[in-house]
Amino acid sequence: MTRMIFRRLSTRLLNICVASFCKAKQIEKAESIIIDGIRLGLLPDAVTYNTLIDSYGRFVSIDAAYAVLWRMREAGIDPDVVTYNSLIAGATRRCLLSVSLDLFDEMLQSGIYPDVWSYNTLMDCFFKVGKPDEAYVVFKDIILNNLSPCPTTFNTLINGLCQNGYITNALMMFRSLQRHGFVPQLATYNTLISGLCKAGKLAAARRALKELGKSGLMPNAITYTTVLKCCFRSRKLKQGLDIMLKIKNSGYTFDGFAYCTVIGALVKTGWIKEAADYMEEMTRNGIERDIVSYNTLLNLYCKQGKFEAMYELFDEIEKGGLECDEYTHTILINGLCKAGDIEGAMQHLKYMNTMGFDSNLVAFNCVVDGLCKARLINHALKMFESMEMKDSFTCSSMVHGLCRARRFHSASKILRYSIRSGMKMLKADARAVLDGLSGSGCAREARWLRSKIRGARLLH
């Protein structure tokens, strides 16, 4: 009897170790622990295999997860609903609808009855691949099979409707559920508020935020930053700052992400002094700087023209042991270009490439624009031709630079490239090239280009 209890305890300990390594994404070590356990006479159970299946489904592939199911059967352990739920979840994360459906059918054929989580995951998969009608059928199946929907069911339903653009339906569903006694969780409100914000329905999002405050639930950083970002995106800066003030007056402590959201929006809209004030407040409140905070401060210095401070801050980041991301390097390259140090910008772009950031379009665009503004057109053209990826900003910078250099024929080639690539082009760019061609005796080429532009309907 004592030996049996010891073995059970040991298997439980084995499962705890396996789960810990799996959470740390060290699946090979988890597998080694299982092998060592078997050598000691500890046989893995359903929990062991289900933990492995979930981990392989999350971090490796659905095929690797399914291979564990075969091992499980070979060991004489029958899969259960948790096994299949983990497999379906792995397929859903990768939007593999056909695989999710096959696994669901296999589960039924094996005599395993789906639970509410099986249906929740399948419903989520339908939403992810843009099939909201089919997702709603799955929701109705939950009721028809006498299963009780859980808060995650409703959160999945509301989030899926929002993600697929059915914001009004999501709001109606939310109200209907409330009338039938459903008490929304904070996650439900956050999902709805996020959907309303993405749809540009700021007034409705603010009403939902107000309702959340009255519900007794405490909004978190995700709630507030979602609404703040929507205010700033809609250029309702005063509303955004008013919300921030109300939040602070209610005793809520802002984190670095919330501060950076506000500071970044203020910098983008030209409210540099206000952005600097919030950055100082963030430092006074003792919030530790992460790479996002540093990037926000770098961008602020760039807008203020404090280029020396930018370079000092970049050194501080590297000496502090933080890893710069591509946005950090791009801000610095942009700062170098604005300071007129084009050679320095190009050198830093090369350094960036050696660090593994070899496809950063924004950084390349900064250098192309800087070269054009410095009237180094040949260098700009050479870089333009070497770029694997280009967008409308790249082409617009080149068109402006070439027109300033009165190289209208070359500018016309760039416009034609934009048309072939289906890129949007500015009316001002098209007008500058067409007027330049007409004024330099190339009226025939101008007429031909005008007809191509009209046919493409890509002006904005």
Side-chain angles (χ1 to χ4, degrees):
M1 183 71 178
T2 308
R3 192 175 177 183
M4 191 179 292
I5 293 168
F6 173 75
R7 184 166 288 183
R8 280 179 187 168
L9 285 170
S10 300
T11 301
R12 192 177 299 169
L13 183 61
L14 171 72
N15 289 339
I16 290 167
C17 293
V18 169
S20 299
F21 280 119
C22 284
K23 275 186 182 177
K25 301 182 187 180
Q26 296 182 9
I27 305 175
E28 286 183 9
K29 286 188 178 178
E31 292 274 21
S32 298
I33 289 286
I34 293 169
I35 292 165
D36 290 342
I38 292 168
R39 283 174 183 159
L40 293 169
L42 299 174
L43 296 178
D45 59 9
V47 175
T48 322
Y49 286 107
N50 286 344
T51 304
L52 274 182
I53 286 169
D54 181 65
S55 190
Y56 275 111
R58 282 177 187 274
F59 308 125
V60 185
S61 70
I62 193 65
D63 289 337
Y66 196 80
V68 179
L69 174 65
W70 283 104
R71 285 165 52 192
M72 186 177 185
R73 283 185 173 135
E74 284 171 0
I77 299 169
D78 292 327
D80 55 18
V81 68
V82 177
T83 314
Y84 278 97
N85 283 353
S86 297
L87 287 166
I88 294 167
T92 295
R93 283 187 199 96
R94 293 164 179 79
C95 299
L96 302 170
L97 178 60
S98 61
V99 176
S100 292
L101 288 169
D102 287 346
L103 287 165
F104 198 87
D105 288 341
E106 185 181 314
M107 175 167 58
L108 290 170
Q109 287 167 16
S110 301
I112 300 167
Y113 292 102
D115 61 10
V116 69
W117 288 99
S118 315
Y119 286 103
N120 287 348
T121 311
L122 190 60
M123 180 169 62
D124 186 35
C125 195
F126 273 117
F127 275 128
K128 279 183 173 176
V129 298
K131 293 180 181 288
D133 293 336
E134 289 88 339
Y136 192 71
V137 171
V138 176
F139 172 66
K140 288 196 287 188
D141 284 346
I142 295 173
I143 312 299
L144 291 171
N145 284 284
N146 296 317
L147 292 169
S148 298
C150 64
T152 303
T153 311
F154 300 125
N155 292 344
T156 302
L157 186 59
I158 291 165
N159 182 56
L161 289 168
C162 289
Q163 293 295 326
N164 283 272
Y166 294 92
I167 308 300
T168 306
N169 300 65
L171 196 54
M172 285 169 61
M173 174 65 69
F174 182 74
R175 297 301 176 208
S176 173
L177 290 169
Q178 283 180 307
R179 285 193 297 273
H180 285 85
F182 170 64
V183 180
Q185 298 175 319
L186 177 58
T188 320
Y189 275 107
N190 282 350
T191 296
L192 184 65
I193 288 167
S194 176
L196 291 166
C197 287
K198 282 176 183 173
K201 297 181 182 290
L202 179 58
R206 290 189 68 183
R207 283 195 296 272
L209 179 62
K210 193 175 180 181
E211 182 186 316
L212 169 59
K214 291 177 180 177
S215 71
L217 293 168
M218 191 69 171
N220 61 10
I222 295 169
T223 323
Y224 289 128
T225 49
T226 300
V227 180
L228 285 171
K229 282 169 86 172
C230 184
C231 287
F232 296 137
R233 209 165 34 235
S234 307
R235 298 201 167 269
K236 304 261 177 84
L237 285 181
K238 192 173 181 308
Q239 281 188 34
L241 294 174
D242 285 346
I243 288 171
M244 188 164 185
L245 192 61
K246 283 177 188 174
I247 297 162
K248 287 199 289 186
N249 289 340
S250 67
Y252 184 83
T253 305
F254 264 66
D255 61 4
F257 182 72
Y259 269 110
C260 289
T261 298
V262 174
I263 294 161
L266 290 168
V267 169
K268 277 182 186 176
T269 47
W271 289 31
I272 305 301
K273 184 186 178 303
E274 289 79 1
D277 291 343
Y278 273 108
M279 184 58 81
E280 283 178 21
E281 183 183 306
M282 177 179 159
T283 306
R284 279 199 310 273
N285 288 343
I287 295 171
E288 251 185 75
R289 287 180 185 171
D290 57 8
I291 195 62
V292 176
S293 312
Y294 274 111
N295 286 346
T296 306
L297 189 54
L298 276 169
N299 204 20
L300 177 59
Y301 285 156
C302 183
K303 291 284 183 183
Q304 290 174 319
K306 296 180 178 177
F307 301 115
E308 283 301 319
M310 272 185 70
Y311 310 141
E312 286 173 15
L313 192 64
F314 186 78
D315 288 339
E316 185 183 317
I317 294 168
E318 295 206 317
K319 285 173 185 173
L322 278 174
E323 199 169 315
C324 296
D325 58 18
E326 57 186 49
Y327 189 50
T328 319
H329 293 290
T330 302
I331 295 167
L332 193 63
I333 286 167
N334 189 35
L336 288 163
C337 288
K338 287 190 174 180
D341 186 3
I342 306 301
E343 190 177 337
M346 291 181 75
Q347 286 297 322
H348 197 84
L349 187 63
K350 286 178 184 175
Y351 168 72
M352 192 177 173
N353 290 345
T354 63
M355 298 296 289
F357 303 107
D358 56 352
S359 58
N360 190 343
L361 179 61
V362 180
F364 275 94
N365 281 348
C366 288
V367 177
V368 167
D369 190 55
L371 288 166
C372 287
K373 283 174 179 171
R375 300 185 185 276
L376 299 168
I377 300 300
N378 288 334
H379 287 84
L381 269 173
K382 191 176 179 182
M383 179 163 282
F384 179 86
E385 286 163 6
S386 71
M387 288 168 66
E388 290 181 14
M389 290 175 62
K390 305 173 184 74
D391 63 5
S392 54
F393 185 87
T394 328
C395 295
S396 183
S397 295
M398 285 305 312
V399 167
H400 273 289
L402 289 163
C403 285
R404 264 198 308 269
R406 302 193 61 77
R407 292 170 64 170
F408 301 111
H409 184 67
S410 295
S412 172
K413 281 184 178 179
I414 302 290
L415 274 190
R416 292 202 300 273
Y417 170 81
S418 296
I419 292 167
R420 286 196 307 273
S421 304
M423 294 177 193
K424 292 280 184 185
M425 63 186 86
L426 295 171
K427 287 179 182 177
D429 291 350
R431 195 180 302 115
V433 177
L434 292 170
D435 290 349
L437 288 170
S438 298
S440 58
C442 300
R444 186 176 176 183
E445 185 180 348
R447 284 195 300 273
W448 180 82
L449 183 60
R450 185 177 285 109
S451 68
K452 289 285 182 186
I453 292 168
R454 283 175 182 166
R457 297 180 181 177
L458 292 167
L459 288 176
H460 69 103

